[in-house]
mmCIF file of all heavy atoms in Angstrom:
data_model
loop_
_atom_site.group_PDB
_atom_site.id
_atom_site.type_symbol
_atom_site.label_atom_id
_atom_site.label_comp_id
_atom_site.label_asym_id
_atom_site.label_seq_id
_atom_site.Cartn_x
_atom_site.Cartn_y
_atom_site.Cartn_z
ATOM 1 N N TYR A 6 61.705 95.894 109.206
ATOM 2 C CA TYR A 6 62.239 95.397 107.949
ATOM 3 C C TYR A 6 63.058 94.162 108.227
ATOM 4 O O TYR A 6 63.872 94.146 109.143
ATOM 5 C CB TYR A 6 63.106 96.471 107.300
ATOM 6 C CG TYR A 6 63.813 96.045 106.011
ATOM 7 C CD1 TYR A 6 63.134 96.033 104.769
ATOM 8 C CD2 TYR A 6 65.151 95.670 106.035
ATOM 9 C CE1 TYR A 6 63.778 95.669 103.635
ATOM 10 C CE2 TYR A 6 65.806 95.295 104.884
ATOM 11 C CZ TYR A 6 65.118 95.297 103.677
ATOM 12 O OH TYR A 6 65.743 94.963 102.534
ATOM 13 N N GLN A 7 62.884 93.091 107.472
ATOM 14 C CA GLN A 7 63.586 91.836 107.662
ATOM 15 C C GLN A 7 64.341 91.400 106.368
ATOM 16 O O GLN A 7 63.831 91.589 105.262
ATOM 17 C CB GLN A 7 62.693 90.741 108.097
ATOM 18 C CG GLN A 7 62.301 90.844 109.571
ATOM 19 C CD GLN A 7 61.615 89.571 110.074
ATOM 20 O OE1 GLN A 7 60.935 88.857 109.295
ATOM 21 N NE2 GLN A 7 61.786 89.256 111.332
ATOM 22 N N GLU A 14 75.155 85.458 100.076
ATOM 23 C CA GLU A 14 75.507 86.470 101.019
ATOM 24 C C GLU A 14 76.198 85.932 102.251
ATOM 25 O O GLU A 14 76.901 86.671 102.963
ATOM 26 C CB GLU A 14 74.283 87.237 101.478
ATOM 27 C CG GLU A 14 73.566 88.026 100.373
ATOM 28 C CD GLU A 14 72.184 88.524 100.828
ATOM 29 O OE1 GLU A 14 71.515 87.796 101.572
ATOM 30 O OE2 GLU A 14 71.809 89.634 100.405
ATOM 31 N N LEU A 26 74.049 97.197 103.230
ATOM 32 C CA LEU A 26 72.613 97.318 103.261
ATOM 33 C C LEU A 26 72.172 98.773 103.528
ATOM 34 O O LEU A 26 71.217 99.294 102.921
ATOM 35 C CB LEU A 26 71.973 96.361 104.223
ATOM 36 C CG LEU A 26 70.429 96.326 104.267
ATOM 37 C CD1 LEU A 26 69.871 95.800 102.938
ATOM 38 C CD2 LEU A 26 69.930 95.440 105.457
ATOM 39 N N TYR A 36 76.431 100.504 115.254
ATOM 40 C CA TYR A 36 76.759 99.792 116.492
ATOM 41 C C TYR A 36 75.823 100.221 117.636
ATOM 42 O O TYR A 36 75.506 99.376 118.503
ATOM 43 C CB TYR A 36 78.250 100.054 116.848
ATOM 44 C CG TYR A 36 79.193 99.338 115.922
ATOM 45 C CD1 TYR A 36 80.147 99.991 115.227
ATOM 46 C CD2 TYR A 36 79.144 97.918 115.810
ATOM 47 C CE1 TYR A 36 81.046 99.347 114.376
ATOM 48 C CE2 TYR A 36 79.983 97.255 114.991
ATOM 49 C CZ TYR A 36 80.951 97.976 114.241
ATOM 50 O OH TYR A 36 81.821 97.271 113.440
ATOM 51 N N ASN A 43 67.810 97.642 118.188
ATOM 52 C CA ASN A 43 66.995 98.112 117.069
ATOM 53 C C ASN A 43 67.346 97.343 115.776
ATOM 54 O O ASN A 43 66.660 97.402 114.794
ATOM 55 C CB ASN A 43 67.181 99.616 116.818
ATOM 56 C CG ASN A 43 66.463 100.461 117.901
ATOM 57 O OD1 ASN A 43 65.504 100.016 118.440
ATOM 58 N ND2 ASN A 43 67.085 101.597 118.243
ATOM 59 N N SER A 54 79.998 91.284 115.002
ATOM 60 C CA SER A 54 81.149 90.436 114.631
ATOM 61 C C SER A 54 80.683 89.028 114.149
ATOM 62 O O SER A 54 81.506 88.257 113.732
ATOM 63 C CB SER A 54 82.076 90.262 115.816
ATOM 64 O OG SER A 54 81.425 89.592 116.887
ATOM 65 N N GLY A 77 69.590 104.692 101.072
ATOM 66 C CA GLY A 77 70.058 105.531 99.959
ATOM 67 C C GLY A 77 69.651 104.966 98.605
ATOM 68 O O GLY A 77 68.746 104.137 98.480
ATOM 69 N N PRO A 97 82.025 83.420 76.173
ATOM 70 C CA PRO A 97 81.678 82.017 76.492
ATOM 71 C C PRO A 97 81.891 81.723 77.978
ATOM 72 O O PRO A 97 82.811 82.295 78.635
ATOM 73 C CB PRO A 97 82.670 81.203 75.633
ATOM 74 C CG PRO A 97 83.146 82.187 74.574
ATOM 75 C CD PRO A 97 83.098 83.548 75.236
ATOM 76 N N PRO A 121 84.310 105.705 84.092
ATOM 77 C CA PRO A 121 82.941 105.462 84.451
ATOM 78 C C PRO A 121 82.075 104.995 83.293
ATOM 79 O O PRO A 121 81.143 104.210 83.469
ATOM 80 C CB PRO A 121 82.450 106.818 85.001
ATOM 81 C CG PRO A 121 83.707 107.488 85.495
ATOM 82 C CD PRO A 121 84.807 107.043 84.576
ATOM 83 N N GLN A 137 69.535 85.702 83.940
ATOM 84 C CA GLN A 137 69.281 84.267 84.147
ATOM 85 C C GLN A 137 68.457 84.069 85.440
ATOM 86 O O GLN A 137 68.103 82.923 85.791
ATOM 87 C CB GLN A 137 70.580 83.510 84.281
ATOM 88 C CG GLN A 137 71.382 83.464 82.979
ATOM 89 C CD GLN A 137 70.723 82.614 81.957
ATOM 90 O OE1 GLN A 137 70.326 81.502 82.242
ATOM 91 N NE2 GLN A 137 70.641 83.135 80.741
ATOM 92 N N THR A 141 69.048 88.888 92.016
ATOM 93 C CA THR A 141 68.031 89.892 91.870
ATOM 94 C C THR A 141 68.593 91.253 92.171
ATOM 95 O O THR A 141 69.693 91.417 92.718
ATOM 96 C CB THR A 141 66.843 89.638 92.817
ATOM 97 O OG1 THR A 141 67.315 89.790 94.163
ATOM 98 C CG2 THR A 141 66.295 88.215 92.668
ATOM 99 N N ASP A 144 69.339 91.504 95.707
ATOM 100 C CA ASP A 144 70.570 90.862 96.114
ATOM 101 C C ASP A 144 71.784 91.753 95.983
ATOM 102 O O ASP A 144 72.752 91.738 96.779
ATOM 103 C CB ASP A 144 70.837 89.620 95.253
ATOM 104 C CG ASP A 144 69.859 88.499 95.532
ATOM 105 O OD1 ASP A 144 69.320 88.415 96.643
ATOM 106 O OD2 ASP A 144 69.607 87.693 94.588
ATOM 107 N N ARG A 158 93.361 94.391 78.667
ATOM 108 C CA ARG A 158 92.225 94.524 77.688
ATOM 109 C C ARG A 158 92.439 93.584 76.506
ATOM 110 O O ARG A 158 91.561 92.877 76.028
ATOM 111 C CB ARG A 158 92.133 95.950 77.170
ATOM 112 C CG ARG A 158 90.970 96.155 76.165
ATOM 113 C CD ARG A 158 91.148 97.443 75.374
ATOM 114 N NE ARG A 158 90.881 98.613 76.177
ATOM 115 C CZ ARG A 158 89.706 99.218 76.229
ATOM 116 N NH1 ARG A 158 88.685 98.752 75.527
ATOM 117 N NH2 ARG A 158 89.563 100.311 76.968
ATOM 118 N N VAL A 193 106.137 84.093 70.651
ATOM 119 C CA VAL A 193 107.277 85.010 70.878
ATOM 120 C C VAL A 193 108.171 84.964 69.638
ATOM 121 O O VAL A 193 108.182 83.987 68.881
ATOM 122 C CB VAL A 193 108.088 84.657 72.120
ATOM 123 C CG1 VAL A 193 107.272 84.855 73.379
ATOM 124 C CG2 VAL A 193 108.638 83.245 72.043
ATOM 125 N N LYS A 212 102.681 106.261 85.936
ATOM 126 C CA LYS A 212 102.300 107.313 85.035
ATOM 127 C C LYS A 212 102.194 106.822 83.604
ATOM 128 O O LYS A 212 101.270 107.214 82.863
ATOM 129 C CB LYS A 212 103.250 108.497 85.119
ATOM 130 C CG LYS A 212 103.215 109.218 86.435
ATOM 131 C CD LYS A 212 104.146 110.409 86.446
ATOM 132 C CE LYS A 212 104.105 111.173 87.780
ATOM 133 N NZ LYS A 212 105.048 112.326 87.813
ATOM 134 N N ASN A 214 102.135 103.488 82.857
ATOM 135 C CA ASN A 214 101.601 102.121 82.831
ATOM 136 C C ASN A 214 102.501 101.142 82.054
ATOM 137 O O ASN A 214 102.077 100.344 81.256
ATOM 138 C CB ASN A 214 100.208 102.086 82.237
ATOM 139 C CG ASN A 214 99.476 100.766 82.509
ATOM 140 O OD1 ASN A 214 99.708 100.130 83.526
ATOM 141 N ND2 ASN A 214 98.656 100.330 81.588
ATOM 142 N N GLN A 217 109.577 97.886 83.831
ATOM 143 C CA GLN A 217 110.945 97.575 83.408
ATOM 144 C C GLN A 217 111.463 96.375 84.198
ATOM 145 O O GLN A 217 111.088 96.177 85.339
ATOM 146 C CB GLN A 217 111.840 98.788 83.678
ATOM 147 C CG GLN A 217 111.572 99.965 82.759
ATOM 148 C CD GLN A 217 112.574 101.096 82.996
ATOM 149 O OE1 GLN A 217 113.006 101.347 84.097
ATOM 150 N NE2 GLN A 217 112.986 101.745 81.895
ATOM 151 N N ILE A 218 112.301 95.584 83.513
ATOM 152 C CA ILE A 218 112.854 94.384 84.131
ATOM 153 C C ILE A 218 114.355 94.553 84.321
ATOM 154 O O ILE A 218 115.027 95.031 83.432
ATOM 155 C CB ILE A 218 112.594 93.140 83.220
ATOM 156 C CG1 ILE A 218 111.103 93.023 82.851
ATOM 157 C CG2 ILE A 218 113.094 91.879 83.950
ATOM 158 C CD1 ILE A 218 110.159 92.810 84.013
ATOM 159 N N PRO A 222 118.124 93.608 92.280
ATOM 160 C CA PRO A 222 117.024 94.124 93.133
ATOM 161 C C PRO A 222 117.179 95.581 93.417
ATOM 162 O O PRO A 222 118.296 96.130 93.346
ATOM 163 C CB PRO A 222 117.166 93.273 94.417
ATOM 164 C CG PRO A 222 118.614 92.892 94.441
ATOM 165 C CD PRO A 222 119.047 92.695 93.040
ATOM 166 N N ILE A 229 110.217 88.646 90.389
ATOM 167 C CA ILE A 229 109.328 87.918 89.512
ATOM 168 C C ILE A 229 109.965 86.627 89.040
ATOM 169 O O ILE A 229 111.203 86.528 88.959
ATOM 170 C CB ILE A 229 108.901 88.746 88.263
ATOM 171 C CG1 ILE A 229 110.099 89.195 87.470
ATOM 172 C CG2 ILE A 229 108.062 89.935 88.662
ATOM 173 C CD1 ILE A 229 109.782 89.822 86.121
ATOM 174 N N GLY A 275 107.359 95.089 72.453
ATOM 175 C CA GLY A 275 107.824 94.210 71.397
ATOM 176 C C GLY A 275 108.634 94.884 70.304
ATOM 177 O O GLY A 275 109.098 95.994 70.401
ATOM 178 N N SER A 278 108.774 96.349 63.883
ATOM 179 C CA SER A 278 108.853 95.950 62.472
ATOM 180 C C SER A 278 108.353 94.522 62.326
ATOM 181 O O SER A 278 107.669 94.185 61.351
ATOM 182 C CB SER A 278 110.250 96.095 61.934
ATOM 183 O OG SER A 278 111.157 95.302 62.651
ATOM 184 N N ASP A 281 104.612 94.631 62.685
ATOM 185 C CA ASP A 281 104.001 95.225 61.475
ATOM 186 C C ASP A 281 103.906 94.184 60.337
ATOM 187 O O ASP A 281 102.920 94.168 59.582
ATOM 188 C CB ASP A 281 104.820 96.409 60.966
ATOM 189 C CG ASP A 281 104.586 97.680 61.841
ATOM 190 O OD1 ASP A 281 103.630 97.677 62.587
ATOM 191 O OD2 ASP A 281 105.402 98.660 61.683
ATOM 192 N N ALA A 296 95.103 83.439 78.234
ATOM 193 C CA ALA A 296 95.093 82.690 79.531
ATOM 194 C C ALA A 296 94.409 81.335 79.249
ATOM 195 O O ALA A 296 93.171 81.254 79.215
ATOM 196 C CB ALA A 296 94.327 83.498 80.579
ATOM 197 N N VAL A 299 93.698 76.829 83.856
ATOM 198 C CA VAL A 299 93.881 76.972 85.341
ATOM 199 C C VAL A 299 93.725 75.624 85.948
ATOM 200 O O VAL A 299 92.950 74.783 85.521
ATOM 201 C CB VAL A 299 92.841 77.985 85.930
ATOM 202 C CG1 VAL A 299 93.033 79.394 85.432
ATOM 203 C CG2 VAL A 299 91.413 77.504 85.702
ATOM 204 N N ASP A 310 83.411 69.918 93.533
ATOM 205 C CA ASP A 310 83.239 69.782 92.059
ATOM 206 C C ASP A 310 84.400 70.406 91.283
ATOM 207 O O ASP A 310 84.562 70.114 90.085
ATOM 208 C CB ASP A 310 81.919 70.386 91.617
ATOM 209 C CG ASP A 310 81.737 71.815 92.030
ATOM 210 O OD1 ASP A 310 82.338 72.241 92.997
ATOM 211 O OD2 ASP A 310 81.020 72.528 91.304
ATOM 212 N N ILE A 311 85.201 71.301 91.918
ATOM 213 C CA ILE A 311 86.333 71.879 91.211
ATOM 214 C C ILE A 311 87.667 71.490 91.823
ATOM 215 O O ILE A 311 88.700 71.876 91.325
ATOM 216 C CB ILE A 311 86.233 73.419 91.118
ATOM 217 C CG1 ILE A 311 86.168 74.035 92.537
ATOM 218 C CG2 ILE A 311 85.032 73.892 90.298
ATOM 219 C CD1 ILE A 311 86.323 75.529 92.538
ATOM 220 N N HIS A 326 95.190 80.008 62.630
ATOM 221 C CA HIS A 326 95.242 80.667 61.321
ATOM 222 C C HIS A 326 96.704 80.948 60.920
ATOM 223 O O HIS A 326 97.175 80.629 59.810
ATOM 224 C CB HIS A 326 94.479 81.919 61.297
ATOM 225 C CG HIS A 326 94.498 82.686 60.011
ATOM 226 N ND1 HIS A 326 93.955 82.198 58.842
ATOM 227 C CD2 HIS A 326 95.044 83.928 59.734
ATOM 228 C CE1 HIS A 326 94.191 83.072 57.862
ATOM 229 N NE2 HIS A 326 94.843 84.116 58.388
#
Side-chain angles (χ1 to χ4, degrees):
Y6 174 81
Q7 284 191 329
E14 296 169 323
L26 183 64
Y36 287 122
N43 288 330
S54 65
Q137 294 291 311
T141 66
D144 291 332
R158 181 198 288 266
V193 294
K212 292 183 179 179
N214 191 32
Q217 290 186 323
I218 307 297
I229 58 170
S278 60
D281 284 345
V299 295
D310 57 333
I311 59 170
H326 177 67

